[in-house]
C-alpha cells in the first residue's frame, strides 16, 4: 500500500520511505507566483484579506498525492470554494505547467495550482517540505496553525480540521461578502459630536455607538461579550448612509466612535473605531488662527489678513443645504458693498462637508468672487476647531483677533450691514479691488496675496503693476479674460494694477 512519498522524484511510483512530512516552519513565507491558468497568486494579500490559506504540496506522479487530492477537492466545495473563510491552493515541485494542467483536468481542481516550473519548486524548498503530500494551513496573522494534515482519510478529515480552527462550511453558490462601514466626523463641540456612517455595498446593516474606552470595557464586561457582538447587540442600528449627533458628552474628553458592519446573512465584519476629543468647555473671545487652501489653490492665513489691518467676515455653509443657499445673494452683495476685499473687511467662506469640485460648482452658481475653502482645503478642521454648531453661520472677526459677532443672525443683508456699522466699517466702491461697468467688472484676488494674484475680467489688454511709490514693477499683455501674476518676488506692501481704464489695488504679504 502507498505511504506518503519522499521528495526524490524518480521513486515517485514506489512505496515511500515514511519520512517525517511535517512542515517545520511556524510562520508563513510570502510568495507571489502565477498558477497554471495565468492568475497571479500573492499569499500575504490573501491572508491580509482575512482568509485562512490551505496549501497542498504535491507532485503529479506521487501515489499518495493522487489518493489524497480528490478528498481535498471535495472539502474545497464543502468549505465554500475559496469565497469564505479559507482559500485553497496547491503547489507542485518539479512538475511542468503541462503536467500540472493535466493533473488539474484529471482531478477537477478548481483552486489555484502552481507548477514547479512557475516557482512551485522554490516555494516547496522555502517551506522545507520533505515528503508529499504535505497539507498545511496558515492563519491570517501568518502563523502556520496546521503543519501537516495526515492521513487524509476523507473530505471530512479536512473539514473537521478547519472547523476546529473556528472556520465554517459554506455553500459555494452563496456569494462572499466583505461588509465595511466608514465613519466620518462632521462636527465636534463641547457636549455634542456629529458623525456620518457610510456602508459599502456588502454591508446590509451595522451597529454603532460612542463611548470612552473605559466605558466600553466596563459595558462589555457586564454583558460578557466581545466588542463586535456587544456593538451588534447593544449599539444603535443603522443601514444606508446616516448622520447622527451624539449628545450629553463631557467637554475636553477623549471618546471613540464604534461601528460594526454586517452582511446580508448577519455575518459581522471588522469593527471600525474613530477617536474624537470634545472641545474644552467655555467659549473663547479669540478666533483661533488657521492656514488653509482655497479652491483656486491660494493659501489663506487668517492672522496674516487680520494683522494687515482688515476685519474678516466668514460664512460657514454646507453644500446641498437650502438654509445655506438662502443668504448667498446677500453675501455676494455685501462683498461688493464693502469694497470687494480691498478695504476694511475681507470676505471668505468655509465649507466642512464638500470637496473642491462641489464647492467650485457652488461658487459658480452664486457668483462668489471671494475665497472658498472646502473640506479638501481644511474646511472641516477649521469648523471643528472654533467650533461651528449649525449652518449657515456668519462670523465677523476684528483685526485684533477677537469676535465682533459670532453669528450674524438672521443672515440677511440688513443684519450684515448692522454688524459692520457696529464696528464702524465703511462701505466702499469696488473700484480699488473690482471695477464695475454695467454687468461686467474686473476683479483681483486673493487679496492680500502671497505667491500670486489673479486678474479676472473681460478685455484686460495691457496690464501694468506699480508699487506704492508709483514705480512700475511689471507689465503684461493679457490674452483672454484672466491673468495670473506671480507675486512671489514682490516685497510686502500695497500695489496698484492698471488694466485699460481700470485701476485696482492689492496687498502682498508673504
Amino acid at each position: 500500500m502507498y505511504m506518503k512519498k519522499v521528495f526524490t522524484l524518480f521513486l515517485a511510483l514506489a512505496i515511500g520511505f515514511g519520512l517525517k512530512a511535517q512542515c517545520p516552519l511556524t510562520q508563513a513565507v510570502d510568495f507571489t507566483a502565477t498558477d497554471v491558468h495565468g492568475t497571479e497568486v500573492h499569499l500575504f494579500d490573501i491572508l491580509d484579506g482575512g482568509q485562512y490559506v490551505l496549501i497542498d504540496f504535491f507532485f503529479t506522479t506521487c501515489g499518495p498525492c493522487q489518493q489524497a487530492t480528490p478528498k481535498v477537492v471535495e472539502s474545497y466545495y464543502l468549505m465554500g470554494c475559496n469565497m469564505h473563510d479559507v482559500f485553497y491552493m496547491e503547489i507542485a515541485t518539479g512538475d511542468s505547467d503541462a503536467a500540472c494542467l493535466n493533473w488539474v483536468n484529471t482531478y477537477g481542481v478548481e483552486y489555484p495550482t502552481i507548477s514547479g516550473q512557475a516557482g512551485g519548486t522554490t516555494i516547496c524548498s522555502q517551506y522545507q517540505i520533505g515528503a508529499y503530500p504535505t497539507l498545511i494551513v496558515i492563519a491570517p496573522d501568518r502563523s502556520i496553525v496546521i503543519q501537516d494534515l495526515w492521513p487524509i482519510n476523507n473530505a471530512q478529515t479536512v473539514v473537521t480540521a478547519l472547523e476546529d480552527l473556528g472556520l465554517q462550511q459554506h455553500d459555494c453558490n452563496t456569494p462572499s461578502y466583505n461588509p465595511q462601514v466608514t465613519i466620518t466626523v462632521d462636527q465636534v463641540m463641547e457636549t455634542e459630536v456629529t458623525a456620518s456612517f457610510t456602508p459599502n455595498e456588502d454591508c446590509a446593516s451595522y451597529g454603532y455607538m460612542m463611548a470612552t474606552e473605559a466605558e466600553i470595557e466596563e459595558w462589555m464586561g457586564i454583558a460578557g461579550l466581545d466588542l463586535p457582538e456587544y456593538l451588534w447587540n447593544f449599539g444603535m442600528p443603522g443601514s444606508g448612509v446616516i448622520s447622527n449627533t451624539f449628545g450629553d458628552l463631557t467637554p475636553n474628553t477623549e471618546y471613540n466612535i464604534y461601528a460594526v458592519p454586517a452582511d446580508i446573512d448577519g455575518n459581522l465584519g471588522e469593527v471600525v473605531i474613530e477617536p474624537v476629543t470634545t472641545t474644552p468647555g467655555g467659549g473663547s473671545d479669540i478666533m483661533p488662527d488657521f492656514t488653509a487652501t482655497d479652491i483656486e489653490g491660494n493659501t489663506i492665513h487668517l492672522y496674516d489678513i487680520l494683522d494687515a489691518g482688515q476685519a474678516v467676515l466668514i460664512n460657514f455653509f454646507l453644500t446641498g443645504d437650502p438654509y445655506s443657499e438662502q443668504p448667498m445673494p446677500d453675501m455676494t452683495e455685501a462683498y461688493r458693498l464693502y469694497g470687494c476685499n480691498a478695504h476694511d473687511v475681507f470676505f471668505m467662506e468655509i465649507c466642512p462637508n464638500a470637496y473642491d469640485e462641489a464647492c467650485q460648482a457652488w461658487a459658480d452658481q452664486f457668483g462668489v468672487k471671494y475665497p472658498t475653502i472646502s473640506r479638501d482645503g481644511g474646511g472641516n478642521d477649521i469648523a471643528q476647531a472654533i467650533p461651528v454648531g449649525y449652518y449657515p453661520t456668519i462670523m465677523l472677526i476684528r483685526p485684533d483677533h477677537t469676535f465682533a459677532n459670532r453669528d450674524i443672525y438672521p443672515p440677511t443683508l440688513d443684519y450684515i450691514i448692522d454688524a459692520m456699522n457696529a464696528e464702524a466699517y465703511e462701505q466702499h466702491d469696488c473700484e480699488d479691488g473690482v471695477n464695475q461697468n454695467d454687468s461686467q467688472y474686473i476683479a483681483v484676488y486673493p487679496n492680500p496675496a502671497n505667491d500670486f494674484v489673479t486678474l479676472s475680467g473681460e478685455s484686460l489688454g495691457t496690464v501694468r503693476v506699480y508699487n506704492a511709490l508709483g514705480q512700475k514693477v511689471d507689465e503684461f499683455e493679457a490674452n483672454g479674460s484672466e491673468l495670473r501674476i506671480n507675486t512671489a518676488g514682490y516685497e510686502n506692501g500695497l500695489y496698484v494694477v492698471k488694466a485699460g481704464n481700470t485701476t485696482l489695488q492689492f496687498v502682498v504679504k508673504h
Side-chain angles (χ1 to χ4, degrees), residues 433-436 440-444 455-460 499 502 504:
V434 174
N435 185 71
Q436 296 188 6
Q440 303 297 327
Y441 58 89
I442 298 174
V444 61
L455 195 64
S456 177
E458 294 186 2
S459 303
L460 296 176
T502 302
L504 307 96

Side-chain angles (χ1 to χ4, degrees), residues 224-506:
L225 298 172
D226 60 13
L227 183 57
E229 293 293 336
Y230 183 82
L231 294 173
W232 184 250
N233 285 280
F234 295 99
M236 292 179 282
S239 62
V241 179
I242 64 171
S243 177
N244 184 75
T245 298
F246 302 91
D248 297 325
L249 305 176
T250 304
N252 199 29
T253 301
E254 294 182 3
Y255 287 88
N256 286 325
I257 304 173
Y258 300 89
V260 60
D263 64 22
I264 194 170
D265 297 324
N267 299 308
L268 300 183
E270 185 176 352
V271 172
V272 182
I273 303 175
E274 184 66 32
V276 64
T277 302
T278 50
T279 58
S284 171
D285 291 332
I286 303 298
M287 172 69 178
D289 192 18
F290 62 80
T291 299
T293 304
D294 72 6
I295 58 176
E296 301 291 339
N298 304 310
T299 299
I300 306 295
H301 185 186
L302 176 65
Y303 278 14
D304 278 354
I305 301 170
L306 297 172
D307 293 345
Q310 288 182 290
V312 173
L313 185 139
I314 307 177
N315 175 30
F316 289 90
F317 71 97
L318 301 175
T319 60
D321 173 30
Y323 296 102
S324 295
E325 294 174 357
Q326 187 174 350
M328 287 307 299
D330 286 350
M331 278 294 303
T332 54
E333 177 62 21
Y335 165 74
R336 294 185 177 91
L337 285 176
Y338 286 88
C340 302
N341 282 6
H343 293 277
D344 296 340
V345 185
F346 187 96
F347 284 63
M348 69 175 73
E349 60 182 9
I350 297 176
C351 176
N353 78 319
Y355 297 96
D356 280 352
E357 184 176 356
C359 286
Q360 184 64 66
W362 166 281
D364 292 342
Q365 177 184 354
F366 294 106
V368 176
K369 297 299 181 183
Y370 42 86
T372 300
I373 300 169
S374 76
R375 192 181 183 96
D376 282 320
N380 187 48
D381 295 335
I382 298 168
Q384 290 187 29
I386 294 173
V388 179
Y390 47 86
Y391 298 87
T393 292
I394 300 175
M395 295 181 176
L396 181 60
I397 302 106
R398 303 182 182 99
D400 65 0
H401 306 175
T402 61
F403 287 99
N405 199 312
R406 285 180 173 270
D407 183 19
I408 299 175
Y409 187 83
T412 64
L413 181 60
D414 287 342
Y415 278 81
I416 293 172
I417 292 174
D418 288 345
M420 300 292 193
N421 289 340
E423 298 298 315
Y425 301 141
E426 297 181 356
Q427 295 185 24
H428 294 271
D429 291 334
C430 282
E431 60 190 19
D432 292 336
V434 174
N435 185 71
Q436 296 188 6
N437 179 15
D438 297 328
S439 62
Q440 303 297 327
Y441 58 89
I442 298 174
V444 61
Y445 57 88
N447 191 5
N450 182 10
D451 294 332
F452 65 87
V453 294
T454 299
L455 195 64
S456 177
E458 294 186 2
S459 303
L460 296 176
T462 301
V463 176
R464 298 179 178 89
V465 181
Y466 301 86
N467 62 20
L469 300 177
Q471 300 166 329
K472 185 172 72 173
V473 295
D474 259 329
E475 181 173 331
F476 309 91
E477 195 66 37
N479 295 318
S481 61
E482 188 170 284
L483 174 67
R484 182 165 169 154
I485 301 173
N486 186 346
T487 58
Y490 289 17
E491 295 182 358
N492 290 341
L494 178 68
Y495 290 83
V496 174
V497 58
K498 293 185 177 182
N501 296 324
T502 302
T503 300
L504 307 96
Q505 293 180 355
F506 64 90

